[in-house]
Amino acid sequence: MRLAERLSRIKPSATLAINAKTQELRAQGRQVVSLAVGEPDFPTPEHICAAAKEAIEQGFTRYTAVPGIPELREQAARYYERFYGVSAPKEAVILSNGGKQALYNLFLALLGPGDEVLLPAPYWVSYPDMVALADAACVPVPAGADKNYLVDVDDLESAATPRTRALILNSPSNPTGCCYTQAQLDAIAEWAVARGIFVISDEVYDRLVYAPAEPATLSPWWKKHPENFAIIGALSKTFCMTGWRVGWCLAHPDLVKAMVKIQGQSTSNVCSITQKAALAALTGPWDLVEEMKTAFARRRDLVLEAIATWPGAVCPKPDGAFYAFPDVSACYTAQIPDSTTLCTKLLEEAETALVPGAAFGDDRCIRISYALDDATLARAMERIGAVLRGK
Ligand code: PLP
């Protein structure tokens, strides 16, 4: 089968490969616990589901405007006022099918052949492939566990070239759970403005930050320099709506128009029913978010305690999202030389699925998602520890 050249530039998602192997083992009757999931283990809140049912009953089942129904654009814009005191008009927002499509639209609208995008590593798996589909290339900027997986201006300056068009920041981070402070973000933003580098701030986990850490944002920088910043948001993680597919981009209205043009020729609007559900999410109670934060902070501590017993493992404390990213390279041997081999061994011997750090640009690490109940999580962490100690 002859396929387009662009397929050679992208690889299949590593997470999907792990899930397939997990399913295979489960089909053989093995009790595999998955610490590889990228979504909260809570159900979508009832009032959100009720709004969707009502939308169907009322026949709200037609095409809508491509960037979303005006009241939802308005509410997505208000998100920044509500949490960060940043006012934004609805024309600065486009609703898309998840944060993923928002990012993809943005890359297509901004990037082209020869453009370089600075990408702090470890990074979320999809960025390099999405950027490649937009004909540009990512330049990884490594920051290891010793730096809490966070880059600074010096790191970025030494990776920048005259071809650098953009920088992607993701805080809280998938895969590390680490967060930039507002002061750290501000320093990077100031550098990017001075350098004329466009900043894409992926803030899809910004409601899942654990005290005493506080959410940080580049939305005030977007307000000051709208032509230089875009913010990605989503309801997927905040409201356990991963399957509903709704996210957005806050950007300069001209850039939003460009993204509307792209989305209008691909998927058009987000599902009309989902939009009503999203409206209920943004305007309704936020209790679930608090409940999840309490559970995730407790599980985060449980995970860190377990990792502390693993030989030589180093894990910066994650302040957000629901991931931990320990550097386990001290456990590597001639037989287990990398994260992929280690994850295969852990899947087979500890019956626990994890994503190898190599998928996120750091082969010394493994990603643990703690979006599952405490008892199962504790059991899985113990099983991993037993394998690592036995080697
Ligand atoms: N950005 C990050 C860092 C993510 O981890 C994800 C999902 O895992 C997304 C964006 C996309 O989320 P969605 O398209 O489900 O809203």
Side-chain angles (χ1 to χ4, degrees):
M1 176 76 206
R2 193 170 142 215
L3 298 172
E5 177 277 329
R6 76 176 64 83
L7 265 298
S8 65
R9 286 184 247 155
I10 61 170
K11 34 185 198 324
S13 155
T15 341
L16 295 184
I18 294 284
N19 289 344
K21 180 84 183 149
T22 304
Q23 295 313 333
E24 196 183 305
L25 288 177
R26 281 180 180 157
Q28 294 166 14
R30 309 266 301 265
Q31 304 286 315
V32 179
V33 174
S34 180
L35 303 186
V37 287
E39 55 190 347
D41 55 320
F42 293 77
T44 308
E46 193 40 53
H47 70 281
I48 297 176
C49 298
K53 288 177 199 156
E54 196 184 318
I56 297 174
E57 275 154 20
Q58 294 185 349
F60 193 73
T61 53
R62 309 277 174 176
Y63 292 131
T64 74
V66 171
I69 53 176
E71 57 272 41
L72 182 57
R73 287 178 91 185
E74 186 90 47
Q75 287 302 328
R78 275 205 201 149
Y79 184 93
Y80 297 95
E81 173 89 60
R82 171 180 189 148
F83 293 111
Y84 303 118
V86 173
S87 63
K90 68 175 186 321
E91 291 71 24
V93 172
I94 170 175
L95 274 304
S96 297
N97 287 279
K100 228 173 193 175
Q101 192 190 20
L103 281 161
Y104 192 48
N105 285 337
L106 185 58
F107 294 148
L108 288 182
L110 275 182
L111 305 173
D115 286 339
E116 291 179 355
V117 179
L118 298 179
L119 180 62
Y123 46 74
W124 179 48
V125 279
S126 295
Y127 299 133
D129 299 273
M130 284 193 192
V131 166
L133 284 173
D135 301 324
C138 279
V139 175
V141 186
D146 54 322
K147 296 189 69 171
N148 285 350
Y149 303 120
L150 304 174
V151 296
D152 56 29
V153 166
D154 291 342
D155 301 322
L156 295 168
E157 181 59 43
S158 41
T161 76
R163 286 193 299 280
T164 305
R165 171 76 180 100
L167 158 68
I168 301 175
L169 288 174
N170 169 219
S171 178
S173 152
N174 177 4
T176 71
C178 291
C179 302
Y180 288 87
T181 62
Q182 192 61 49
Q184 287 169 325
L185 280 188
D186 290 345
I188 293 175
E190 201 172 319
W191 169 81
V193 170
R195 277 297 224 123
I197 293 172
F198 192 97
V199 183
I200 295 154
S201 186
D202 181 343
E203 302 181 4
V204 302
Y205 294 96
D206 77 331
R207 292 300 97 214
L208 298 175
V209 174
Y210 312 117
E214 285 173 5
T217 179
L218 283 178
S219 53
W221 284 86
W222 166 80
K223 184 82 184 168
K224 269 191 281 178
H225 302 277
E227 73 296 339
N228 222 103
F229 291 85
I231 317 292
I232 302 293
L235 297 182
S236 310
K237 319 287 176 170
T238 312
F239 284 105
C240 310
M241 293 180 73
T242 45
W244 298 74
R245 311 311 300 135
V246 58
W248 62 78
C249 180
L250 171 75
H252 189 292
D254 288 349
L255 182 50
V256 168
K257 275 192 202 139
M259 289 188 275
V260 172
K261 198 168 170 186
I262 292 165
Q263 190 167 298
Q265 297 295 19
S266 52
T267 59
S268 291
N269 57 275
V270 170
C271 164
S272 57
I273 300 154
T274 290
Q275 291 191 58
K276 287 288 189 183
L279 196 56
L282 287 170
T283 54
W286 288 67
D287 314 359
L288 170 76
V289 183
E290 290 312 309
E291 196 187 313
M292 279 201 299
K293 276 167 67 173
T294 308
F296 285 148
R298 189 179 64 235
R299 295 172 190 173
R300 183 263 321 256
D301 293 344
L302 183 161
V303 162
L304 289 179
E305 268 172 43
I307 292 172
T309 70
W310 297 356
V314 181
C315 189
K317 186 177 180 188
D319 283 320
F322 36 79
Y323 309 107
F325 201 61
D327 179 335
V328 288
S329 55
C331 296
Y332 291 176
T333 60
Q335 289 75 38
I336 313 162
D338 53 39
S339 61
T340 307
T341 321
L342 180 62
C343 286
T344 306
K345 182 180 167 76
L346 291 171
L347 187 53
E348 273 156 17
E349 296 179 18
E351 296 190 318
T352 304
L354 298 141
V355 188
F360 306 98
D362 195 333
D363 202 17
R364 294 168 293 188
C365 304
I366 53 176
R367 190 192 72 171
I368 297 165
S369 161
Y370 48 85
L372 73 167
D373 72 90
D374 297 35
T376 314
L377 179 62
R379 211 168 50 243
M381 293 302 291
E382 184 42 48
R383 286 192 332 214
I384 299 170
V387 172
L388 292 181
R389 281 186 291 271
K391 286 213 223 170

Short mmCIF file of all heavy atoms in Angstrom, two decimals, residues 222-255:
data_model
loop_
_atom_site.label_atom_id
_atom_site.label_comp_id
_atom_site.label_asym_id
_atom_site.label_seq_id
_atom_site.Cartn_x
_atom_site.Cartn_y
_atom_site.Cartn_z
N TRP A 222 -0.41 36.58 27.47
CA TRP A 222 -1.23 36.65 26.25
C TRP A 222 -1.95 38.01 26.21
O TRP A 222 -2.02 38.65 25.16
CB TRP A 222 -2.28 35.51 26.24
CG TRP A 222 -3.31 35.77 25.20
CD1 TRP A 222 -3.19 35.54 23.86
CD2 TRP A 222 -4.58 36.39 25.39
NE1 TRP A 222 -4.32 35.97 23.20
CE2 TRP A 222 -5.19 36.49 24.11
CE3 TRP A 222 -5.28 36.86 26.51
CZ2 TRP A 222 -6.45 37.06 23.93
CZ3 TRP A 222 -6.53 37.42 26.32
CH2 TRP A 222 -7.11 37.51 25.05
N LYS A 223 -2.44 38.45 27.36
CA LYS A 223 -3.17 39.72 27.43
C LYS A 223 -2.25 40.89 27.01
O LYS A 223 -2.66 41.79 26.28
CB LYS A 223 -3.67 39.91 28.87
CG LYS A 223 -4.53 41.12 29.08
CD LYS A 223 -5.95 40.87 28.68
CE LYS A 223 -6.78 42.12 28.83
NZ LYS A 223 -8.07 41.98 28.19
N LYS A 224 -0.99 40.82 27.49
CA LYS A 224 -0.05 41.91 27.19
C LYS A 224 0.48 41.83 25.76
O LYS A 224 0.73 42.84 25.11
CB LYS A 224 1.16 41.83 28.15
CG LYS A 224 0.98 42.66 29.42
CD LYS A 224 2.30 42.76 30.20
CE LYS A 224 2.55 41.49 30.99
NZ LYS A 224 3.79 41.43 31.73
N HIS A 225 0.71 40.60 25.29
CA HIS A 225 1.32 40.39 23.95
C HIS A 225 0.51 39.33 23.22
O HIS A 225 0.99 38.21 23.01
CB HIS A 225 2.77 39.90 24.09
CG HIS A 225 3.65 40.82 24.86
ND1 HIS A 225 4.27 41.92 24.30
CD2 HIS A 225 4.01 40.83 26.16
CE1 HIS A 225 4.98 42.55 25.21
NE2 HIS A 225 4.84 41.91 26.36
N PRO A 226 -0.72 39.69 22.80
CA PRO A 226 -1.59 38.64 22.23
C PRO A 226 -1.02 37.99 20.97
O PRO A 226 -1.36 36.84 20.68
CB PRO A 226 -2.90 39.39 21.92
CG PRO A 226 -2.61 40.83 22.08
CD PRO A 226 -1.37 41.00 22.88
N GLU A 227 -0.14 38.69 20.28
CA GLU A 227 0.42 38.11 19.05
C GLU A 227 1.55 37.14 19.34
O GLU A 227 2.09 36.51 18.44
CB GLU A 227 0.87 39.23 18.09
CG GLU A 227 2.13 39.98 18.48
CD GLU A 227 2.02 40.78 19.79
OE1 GLU A 227 0.90 41.10 20.26
OE2 GLU A 227 3.06 41.07 20.38
N ASN A 228 1.92 37.01 20.62
CA ASN A 228 3.09 36.21 20.97
C ASN A 228 2.79 34.96 21.80
O ASN A 228 3.69 34.18 22.11
CB ASN A 228 4.05 37.10 21.77
CG ASN A 228 5.48 36.92 21.36
OD1 ASN A 228 6.02 37.74 20.66
ND2 ASN A 228 6.08 35.80 21.76
N PHE A 229 1.51 34.80 22.21
CA PHE A 229 1.19 33.69 23.12
C PHE A 229 -0.12 33.03 22.71
O PHE A 229 -1.02 33.71 22.20
CB PHE A 229 1.02 34.21 24.57
CG PHE A 229 2.31 34.66 25.18
CD1 PHE A 229 2.78 35.96 24.96
CD2 PHE A 229 3.08 33.79 25.94
CE1 PHE A 229 3.99 36.39 25.50
CE2 PHE A 229 4.29 34.21 26.49
CZ PHE A 229 4.74 35.52 26.27
N ALA A 230 -0.22 31.74 22.96
CA ALA A 230 -1.51 31.04 22.84
C ALA A 230 -1.60 30.07 24.01
O ALA A 230 -0.60 29.46 24.40
CB ALA A 230 -1.60 30.29 21.52
N ILE A 231 -2.79 29.97 24.58
CA ILE A 231 -2.98 29.11 25.74
C ILE A 231 -3.94 28.00 25.34
O ILE A 231 -5.01 28.27 24.77
CB ILE A 231 -3.62 29.90 26.92
CG1 ILE A 231 -2.99 31.29 27.09
CG2 ILE A 231 -3.60 29.07 28.21
CD1 ILE A 231 -1.57 31.31 27.54
N ILE A 232 -3.57 26.76 25.70
CA ILE A 232 -4.45 25.63 25.41
C ILE A 232 -5.12 25.20 26.71
O ILE A 232 -4.47 25.03 27.74
CB ILE A 232 -3.63 24.44 24.84
CG1 ILE A 232 -2.88 24.84 23.56
CG2 ILE A 232 -4.53 23.21 24.61
CD1 ILE A 232 -3.75 25.15 22.37
N GLY A 233 -6.44 25.03 26.64
CA GLY A 233 -7.20 24.54 27.79
C GLY A 233 -8.08 23.39 27.34
O GLY A 233 -8.28 23.17 26.15
N ALA A 234 -8.61 22.64 28.31
CA ALA A 234 -9.50 21.53 27.97
C ALA A 234 -10.31 21.14 29.20
O ALA A 234 -9.91 21.42 30.34
CB ALA A 234 -8.70 20.32 27.48
N LEU A 235 -11.43 20.49 28.95
CA LEU A 235 -12.23 20.00 30.07
C LEU A 235 -11.96 18.51 30.32
O LEU A 235 -12.48 17.94 31.28
CB LEU A 235 -13.72 20.21 29.76
CG LEU A 235 -14.13 21.68 29.61
CD1 LEU A 235 -15.63 21.79 29.37
CD2 LEU A 235 -13.75 22.48 30.84
N SER A 236 -11.15 17.92 29.45
CA SER A 236 -10.94 16.46 29.49
C SER A 236 -10.53 15.97 30.88
O SER A 236 -11.12 15.03 31.42
CB SER A 236 -9.86 16.08 28.49
OG SER A 236 -10.14 16.64 27.23
N LYS A 237 -9.51 16.59 31.45
CA LYS A 237 -8.98 16.10 32.72
C LYS A 237 -9.74 16.73 33.89
O LYS A 237 -10.04 16.07 34.88
CB LYS A 237 -7.48 16.44 32.84
CG LYS A 237 -6.69 16.25 31.57
CD LYS A 237 -6.43 14.81 31.19
CE LYS A 237 -5.72 14.74 29.84
NZ LYS A 237 -5.22 13.44 29.47
N THR A 238 -10.06 18.03 33.77
CA THR A 238 -10.69 18.76 34.87
C THR A 238 -12.05 18.18 35.25
O THR A 238 -12.40 18.10 36.42
CB THR A 238 -10.88 20.24 34.47
OG1 THR A 238 -9.67 20.71 33.92
CG2 THR A 238 -11.27 21.09 35.65
N PHE A 239 -12.82 17.81 34.23
CA PHE A 239 -14.17 17.32 34.50
C PHE A 239 -14.35 15.86 34.07
O PHE A 239 -15.49 15.43 33.87
CB PHE A 239 -15.21 18.20 33.81
CG PHE A 239 -15.42 19.51 34.51
CD1 PHE A 239 -14.89 20.68 34.00
CD2 PHE A 239 -16.11 19.57 35.71
CE1 PHE A 239 -15.06 21.89 34.67
CE2 PHE A 239 -16.30 20.77 36.38
CZ PHE A 239 -15.77 21.93 35.86
N CYS A 240 -13.25 15.14 33.94
CA CYS A 240 -13.34 13.73 33.55
C CYS A 240 -14.19 13.59 32.30
O CYS A 240 -15.16 12.82 32.25
CB CYS A 240 -13.94 12.89 34.68
SG CYS A 240 -13.14 13.18 36.23
N MET A 241 -13.84 14.36 31.28
CA MET A 241 -14.61 14.37 30.04
C MET A 241 -13.73 13.97 28.86
O MET A 241 -13.88 14.51 27.75
CB MET A 241 -15.20 15.77 29.81
CG MET A 241 -16.26 16.16 30.82
SD MET A 241 -16.93 17.81 30.52
CE MET A 241 -17.93 17.55 29.05
N THR A 242 -12.82 13.02 29.08
CA THR A 242 -11.87 12.69 28.02
C THR A 242 -12.54 12.21 26.74
O THR A 242 -12.09 12.52 25.65
CB THR A 242 -10.85 11.63 28.51
OG1 THR A 242 -11.58 10.61 29.21
CG2 THR A 242 -9.84 12.22 29.45
N GLY A 243 -13.63 11.48 26.88
CA GLY A 243 -14.30 10.95 25.68
C GLY A 243 -15.22 11.95 25.00
O GLY A 243 -15.66 11.71 23.87
N TRP A 244 -15.51 13.05 25.65
CA TRP A 244 -16.47 14.01 25.08
C TRP A 244 -15.83 14.87 24.00
O TRP A 244 -16.50 15.38 23.14
CB TRP A 244 -17.01 14.93 26.18
CG TRP A 244 -17.77 14.25 27.26
CD1 TRP A 244 -17.27 13.50 28.27
CD2 TRP A 244 -19.19 14.28 27.46
NE1 TRP A 244 -18.28 13.06 29.09
CE2 TRP A 244 -19.48 13.53 28.61
CE3 TRP A 244 -20.25 14.89 26.77
CZ2 TRP A 244 -20.77 13.35 29.09
CZ3 TRP A 244 -21.53 14.72 27.25
CH2 TRP A 244 -21.79 13.95 28.39
N ARG A 245 -14.53 15.04 24.10
CA ARG A 245 -13.70 15.78 23.15
C ARG A 245 -14.04 17.28 23.14
O ARG A 245 -14.73 17.76 22.25
CB ARG A 245 -13.80 15.19 21.73
CG ARG A 245 -13.60 13.71 21.63
CD ARG A 245 -12.37 13.20 22.36
NE ARG A 245 -11.14 13.76 21.86
CZ ARG A 245 -10.16 14.21 22.67
NH1 ARG A 245 -10.27 14.18 24.00
NH2 ARG A 245 -9.07 14.72 22.13
N VAL A 246 -13.55 17.95 24.14
CA VAL A 246 -13.71 19.41 24.12
C VAL A 246 -12.52 20.09 24.80
O VAL A 246 -12.13 19.75 25.92
CB VAL A 246 -15.08 19.85 24.70
CG1 VAL A 246 -15.30 19.37 26.11
CG2 VAL A 246 -15.25 21.37 24.63
N GLY A 247 -11.94 20.99 24.04
CA GLY A 247 -10.83 21.80 24.53
C GLY A 247 -10.89 23.12 23.80
O GLY A 247 -11.82 23.37 23.02
N TRP A 248 -9.89 23.98 24.04
CA TRP A 248 -9.92 25.27 23.35
C TRP A 248 -8.53 25.86 23.23
O TRP A 248 -7.58 25.40 23.86
CB TRP A 248 -10.84 26.26 24.07
CG TRP A 248 -10.41 26.59 25.48
CD1 TRP A 248 -9.41 27.46 25.84
CD2 TRP A 248 -10.97 26.07 26.69
NE1 TRP A 248 -9.32 27.50 27.22
CE2 TRP A 248 -10.26 26.66 27.77
CE3 TRP A 248 -11.99 25.17 26.99
CZ2 TRP A 248 -10.54 26.38 29.10
CZ3 TRP A 248 -12.26 24.88 28.32
CH2 TRP A 248 -11.55 25.48 29.36
N CYS A 249 -8.49 26.92 22.44
CA CYS A 249 -7.27 27.72 22.37
C CYS A 249 -7.65 29.18 22.58
O CYS A 249 -8.62 29.67 21.97
CB CYS A 249 -6.61 27.54 21.00
SG CYS A 249 -5.10 28.50 20.85
N LEU A 250 -6.91 29.84 23.46
CA LEU A 250 -7.04 31.28 23.67
C LEU A 250 -5.88 31.92 22.92
O LEU A 250 -4.72 31.60 23.20
CB LEU A 250 -6.95 31.60 25.17
CG LEU A 250 -6.86 33.08 25.56
CD1 LEU A 250 -8.22 33.76 25.40
CD2 LEU A 250 -6.36 33.23 27.00
N ALA A 251 -6.19 32.77 21.95
CA ALA A 251 -5.12 33.34 21.12
C ALA A 251 -5.58 34.68 20.54
O ALA A 251 -6.73 35.10 20.74
CB ALA A 251 -4.77 32.37 19.99
N HIS A 252 -4.69 35.31 19.81
CA HIS A 252 -5.03 36.55 19.11
C HIS A 252 -6.22 36.26 18.18
O HIS A 252 -6.22 35.23 17.49
CB HIS A 252 -3.81 36.98 18.29
CG HIS A 252 -3.95 38.34 17.69
ND1 HIS A 252 -4.85 38.63 16.69
CD2 HIS A 252 -3.31 39.49 17.96
CE1 HIS A 252 -4.76 39.91 16.36
NE2 HIS A 252 -3.83 40.45 17.13
N PRO A 253 -7.22 37.15 18.14
CA PRO A 253 -8.40 36.88 17.29
C PRO A 253 -8.04 36.56 15.83
O PRO A 253 -8.74 35.76 15.20
CB PRO A 253 -9.23 38.16 17.42
CG PRO A 253 -8.87 38.69 18.78
CD PRO A 253 -7.42 38.34 18.99
N ASP A 254 -6.96 37.13 15.30
CA ASP A 254 -6.58 36.81 13.91
C ASP A 254 -6.09 35.36 13.80
O ASP A 254 -6.35 34.68 12.81
CB ASP A 254 -5.47 37.74 13.41
CG ASP A 254 -6.01 39.15 13.17
OD1 ASP A 254 -7.26 39.32 13.20
OD2 ASP A 254 -5.18 40.06 12.98
N LEU A 255 -5.38 34.94 14.83
CA LEU A 255 -4.90 33.55 14.85
C LEU A 255 -6.09 32.60 15.04
O LEU A 255 -6.17 31.54 14.42
CB LEU A 255 -3.86 33.39 15.97
CG LEU A 255 -3.18 32.04 16.16
CD1 LEU A 255 -2.61 31.49 14.86
CD2 LEU A 255 -2.05 32.15 17.20
#
